Amino acid sequence: MKRLSRREFLSKTTKTALGLGIASQLGFQIGCHNGTTGPSEAAWRQLANSLQGMLLRPGDALYDQIALPRNLAFAGILPRGIVFVAGPADVQTSVRFAREHGLPAVARSGNHSYAGYSLTTGLLIDLSNMSSIDIDTSGGIVDVAAGALLGAVADATAPFNLLMPSGRCSSVGIAGLLLGGGFGFNGRKFGLTSDNLVQTQIVTANGELLNCNETENSDLFWACRGGGGGNFGINVAFQVQTHPVSTASVYELVWDVEDAHAAWAAMQEIGLTTSNDFSMRLGMIIQEDGPLPGSRNQSLQVIGQLFGGSAEELREILDPAFVAAEPSSSLIEELSFADATLFLEEFDSPDAFLSKSAYLIGPLPEEAIAIMLEHFFLWPADSREAEFKIFSWGGAYNQTSPEATAFVHRSADYIIESDASWHTEDPVSVSDASKEWIQELFVKLQPFFTGSAYQNFIDPTLTDWQSAYYGANFPRLMDVKNTYDPDDFFNFAQSIPT
């Protein structure tokens, strides 16, 4: 399945579905979803008739495809209804309906929650049709509806030579990314996506639409800048500061596994000593599709950019890595910023996986590099793929104080992400072995980490997530929760509690 298949599918089929009368619901027993009967069929029809958008129910033609999550490990969590909202009024209507009928409600934007927290057995409020993007070129503010994807935002800002600091994966939704922070290849220069938030509109648990900025509902605005999605309400739009761009030089280097240790050590030193214009993603990867039957493809890869710099300048910065170990392949090229964004773009497809994260102060020590590389030789034979990667941090990320916004991670040099994936058709023994592999890796490396974790790489196995994600800001986040959602209507396994 291609990375945009669900969104492309929706854009092509929504009008057709409406023409076929999908909004008029089929009779369907939903007791299997939660062991309760839920709203009556008459209530569901009333909801459908009150929406500008579309309501989809189990049994409808498009339901099975659209209900799928990005992480297929959670594909068994199915909603009683999916509302494709057309605007804030539909969100308000949906929230009030869910409350009235005792249904949990969850918002979905890009559908990338690693732990399946944009899923529900109740009412799924899909924001994908709320995808407008408007740009005020005089002030450089982009007004983004909550269902817009990062790739669409980049496409909209590029003709004006502007960028919104954001992530690398174009199929991620703006809402989930921004509300949990949002980092990417331009963040060391311009900060998190949430650092650039000027204003947002949010539907709260009582169905009220609020405007939030530094002076209006400022406590909720603070929480929306890194406090995580799905905690305080459903954000329907964001106004974000953009920045002017011109060119960037990009690079991609690959080393064979025997040179991985030397190259890793060299690259992370480069990342610590260069300007905020430099960024990198350095990762060890192992895949099932090796060059010979039954073999593995294992290599060290690094990709990144030098913002506004030439290819010659970038080659000079990277020279210590070439000296440490000659790459098996290399590319360094100066591009327009729009082309650089496309070069750095990550394409993903739905699969089943577990992801973990950590923060690192200073370089990963030689001992830890060796432990990590040795652990890759223990990768389960039947599993699909695994990665261990670090992204450059510091710079503008750390120039905002930890208490200024809800995003507390302001002292690290690197952020770490590791993931293990398997095929959905694999037996439980394979998925369990994959999960055990990544858990053991993090146990071995934990002494080298800070103890923090990134809330957007949400990890359902974390037991101390309150501290790991939010640190000293957690009590204040609870205060905001008690103010705007005292009944804990918006909740999931790792949501901010009341």
Side-chain angles (χ1 to χ4, degrees), residues 1 13 29 75 134 152 155 215 252 261 349-350 375 431:
M1 186 180 292
T13 58
Q29 294 287 54
D134 297 306
D155 290 344
T215 59
E252 184 173 24
H261 191 126
S349 59
H375 197 73
S431 61

Side-chain angles (χ1 to χ4, degrees), residues 17 84 158 162 209 228 237 302 352 468:
F84 291 97
L162 296 172
L209 179 63
V302 65

Side-chain angles (χ1 to χ4, degrees), residues 100-112:
E100 178 184 351
H101 294 280
L103 290 176
V106 168
R108 181 174 74 178
S109 177
N111 196 24
H112 273 68

